[in-house]
Amino acid sequence: MMENDERNEIIKAAEQGDAIGQYNLGAMYDYGEGVEQNYWMAEKWYTLAAKQGDADAQYNLGVMYHKGQGPLENHKTAFKWFTLAADQGHADAQYNLGFMFAKGKGVPKNIKTAVNWFTLAAEQGDTDSQYNLGQMYREGKVLPQNDKTALSWFARSWYTKAAEQGHSKAQYNLATMYSQGDGVPVCDKTATKWFTLAAEQGEDGPQY
């Protein structure tokens, strides 16, 4: 629970124009910590911080507009804020841009651009991006379908990165690759290892 002194310091800093204070106050209203939850007030303080270049505030604003929390749902505005955060290296924003381009949500569908954003996030260790890249390569959405060796190598590589960080869907799909010899030599021992790790997290079905 937030102490009064801490809350008052954050409010004071925010009102004096400090970007970190504005972000923190926005987060307080966003999550109802130390104050009553109020998405409109969260949007107000996030915006002030975001306009000063705070990447976390830019990302959180993107989420609010993407989900319609407080402000009306507006994918165009969400895209704007995600892009500003992503350009500063914010991995979650990069993932969300990848998702938007992959699904054509709020922007024209563009698999190449989606892969570029997923890759930037994946290289920072984002497991969902790593998993999505594995899926996209496995399904032949990135390289020509006839280039099976390259497709399987990239799919296995990204699945492995995500699986090693505990991503259950990646663990399961990696297991199926080794179990079925899908672009890799059949290896029951390796397949069993990944099936077991996935099952321990409740993952027990194919993920395509």
Side-chain angles (χ1 to χ4, degrees):
M1 187 173 179
M2 183 174 289
E3 298 291 336
N4 286 336
D5 287 347
E6 181 184 1
R7 180 182 60 202
N8 292 338
E9 284 297 318
I10 290 172
I11 293 172
K12 180 179 178 181
E15 291 176 343
Q16 290 178 346
D18 179 76
I20 295 175
Q22 292 168 342
Y23 166 77
N24 286 336
L25 186 53
M28 286 166 58
Y29 280 111
D30 194 358
Y31 301 109
E33 295 182 359
V35 294
E36 185 176 347
Q37 188 176 47
N38 186 320
Y39 287 134
W40 291 104
M41 290 297 289
E43 188 266 347
K44 168 190 171 181
W45 290 108
Y46 280 152
T47 299
L48 289 170
K51 287 181 176 178
Q52 294 196 66
D54 187 287
D56 289 326
Q58 292 167 346
Y59 169 74
N60 284 8
L61 271 178
V63 171
M64 294 188 77
Y65 279 102
H66 189 69
K67 294 182 176 180
Q69 293 176 325
L72 293 176
E73 185 175 312
N74 187 321
H75 293 301
K76 184 177 181 180
T77 304
F79 175 77
K80 164 193 165 183
W81 289 116
F82 283 147
T83 301
L84 288 169
D87 285 342
Q88 296 193 68
H90 196 291
D92 289 336
Q94 292 168 344
Y95 166 80
N96 281 6
L97 286 178
F99 178 85
M100 292 177 79
F101 278 109
K103 301 295 184 181
K105 194 164 186 176
V107 294
K109 188 173 182 177
N110 188 316
I111 297 300
K112 182 178 180 180
T113 303
V115 168
N116 288 341
W117 284 116
F118 280 144
T119 301
L120 287 171
E123 288 173 346
Q124 295 193 68
D126 184 82
T127 58
D128 287 330
S129 293
Q130 292 167 346
Y131 169 73
N132 284 352
L133 285 171
Q135 288 289 85
M136 295 170 83
Y137 277 107
R138 193 178 187 189
E139 294 170 359
K141 292 181 177 179
V142 185
L143 297 172
Q145 281 280 10
N146 59 3
D147 197 351
K148 294 291 187 182
T149 301
L151 288 171
S152 297
W153 187 89
F154 280 110
R156 182 185 60 182
S157 176
W158 287 117
Y159 278 152
T160 301
K161 289 179 185 296
E164 288 176 345
Q165 294 188 76
H167 195 290
S168 63
K169 291 180 174 63
Q171 291 169 342
Y172 187 94
N173 285 8
L174 188 59
T176 64
M177 291 185 73
Y178 281 104
S179 175
Q180 299 169 5
D182 182 4
V184 295
V186 171
C187 182
D188 291 336
K189 182 178 179 180
T190 303
T192 299
K193 166 191 169 183
W194 290 117
F195 275 135
T196 300
L197 288 171
E200 287 173 353
Q201 297 191 69
E203 199 68 59
D204 58 2
Q207 302 292 330
Y208 298 111

